[in-house]
Amino acid sequence: MNPESVEVKFETRNHRGFFVQEGQYKFMGLDESGWALICVDDATCHYVDPDSLELIIQSEG
């Protein structure tokens, strides 16, 4: 699966209850518990509610 570009909605919190900084992330998939794994890079990832994500539509050309 190719990671999709997503943005988090305003005031999104991760699975530990901390706010996630707004910005562009790579959607890596869902875990068994239903949390969405999103990553900024190889070292910075968050588990968030999938309903807090918005797909970024990238036009070609």
Side-chain angles (χ1 to χ4, degrees), residues 5-58:
S5 293
V6 294
E7 288 185 348
V8 295
K9 294 179 182 176
F10 181 69
E11 293 190 351
T12 295
R13 294 178 183 255
N14 66 15
H15 69 294
R16 294 184 178 177
F18 295 102
F19 286 108
V20 175
Q21 184 175 355
E22 290 181 66
Q24 188 170 337
Y25 294 84
K26 292 179 187 173
F27 175 75
M28 306 306 288
L30 297 174
D31 74 357
E32 297 126 14
S33 301
W35 290 100
L37 178 62
I38 58 172
C39 298
V40 176
D41 53 35
D42 292 336
T44 308
C45 295
H46 302 280
Y47 284 104
V48 297
D49 182 342
D51 292 336
S52 297
L53 300 177
E54 296 179 344
L55 183 64
I56 298 173
I57 306 299
Q58 298 178 351

